[in-house]
Amino acid sequence: MKFRKVTAAATTALVLSLTATACGGGDGDSESGSGGSDKIKIGIKYDQPGLGLKEPGGSFSGFDVDVATYVAKELGYEADQIEWVETKSADRENALSRGDVKFITATYSITDERKQKVDFAGPYLLAHQDLLLKADSDIKEGTDLNGKKLCSVTGSTSAQNVKEEIAPDAQLREYGTYSECIAGLQSGAVDAVTTDDSILAGFASQDQYKGQFKLAGLKLSNENYGIGVKKGDSETLNKINDALEKMVSDGAWDKAVKDNFGPANYQNEPAPQIGKIVQ
């Protein structure tokens, strides 16, 4: 290509124009390795041992963290390129719609109501509402909870489900966090804690609780955990589904289950099929 001769003034103007464009960030492309952002933001829980937990030293652990890390690598990001973002239950849909995170892996049960606002990859885990008991508890059936103290967090539907379906005379104790419920179970202040079995197993697997608790295995509900992505982002959705299928086929999924829930003798369901929701 031939360039016409330009004056010194014109040359100076051209250089300044190019410099301004470069400083302005171009077209906003942020592909990893192309001079743009080399990070990916992923939403998780910070307060669920065995699933999504921020450790005292600042690191992160749990099954959701392991799944998200595997998926991120399949999307082209190493572990040190992940920026973990705390996404509490009430803010998950907003975090995706605002673009605060690329995807969310945070005990995010797939429901028809939520599917109106976000898209879900997966499911990647089938959990069930259950009870956590002391290892020497004589509670064997849900009806044995009648007259006993049952703990769940304030506002949760788990305890109400137990009272409505199997133990109407259970004495409900509502605490601010599941950590408080677990401490109450350990001290004897309550007789049982109820929420998803995966969450209960995560707590029971912690070093300070090993051997102290057991799951009742009641399977009171089906909770299909999915990975939330922004509504309409089919490209990311398809890539995540491919990553989840690979994680199952190469054994990494089974290893993550064992690493995070094994000490609680969690009888997990097999890895669910992508797109198959268990009602």
Side-chain angles (χ1 to χ4, degrees), residues 118-173:
V118 304
D119 287 333
F120 284 100
Y124 65 92
L125 184 71
L126 176 60
H128 307 283
Q129 185 188 333
D130 201 356
L131 301 175
L132 189 67
L133 311 166
K134 275 195 168 183
D136 60 356
S137 173
D138 58 0
I139 295 174
K140 295 182 175 60
E141 303 288 341
T143 53
D144 292 340
L145 280 170
N146 283 313
K148 301 292 181 65
K149 294 180 285 293
L150 174 66
C151 188
S152 192
V153 298
T154 303
S156 169
T157 60
S158 298
Q160 293 300 330
N161 289 342
V162 172
K163 284 180 65 65
E164 291 174 5
E165 296 178 16
I166 58 175
D169 295 327
Q171 301 174 26
L172 178 59
R173 300 288 188 270

Side-chain angles (χ1 to χ4, degrees), residues 164-217:
E164 291 174 5
E165 296 178 16
I166 58 175
D169 295 327
Q171 301 174 26
L172 178 59
R173 300 288 188 270
E174 292 185 307
Y175 292 173
T177 66
Y178 285 114
S179 295
E180 293 176 80
C181 280
I182 301 300
L185 182 61
Q186 185 182 39
S187 69
V190 299
D191 301 297
V193 180
T194 185
T195 187
D196 294 357
D197 54 7
S198 58
I199 297 174
L200 297 172
F203 275 104
S205 296
Q206 300 303 292
D207 288 340
Q208 67 268 37
Y209 298 132
K210 285 181 181 177
Q212 297 185 40
F213 305 132
K214 64 182 179 183
L215 289 164

Side-chain angles (χ1 to χ4, degrees), residues 110 115 120-124 224 241 245 272-278:
I110 301 171
K115 286 193 291 185
F120 284 100
Y124 65 92
N224 299 269
N241 278 332
E245 288 181 342
Q273 295 180 19
I274 300 300
K276 183 177 181 180
I277 306 299
V278 179

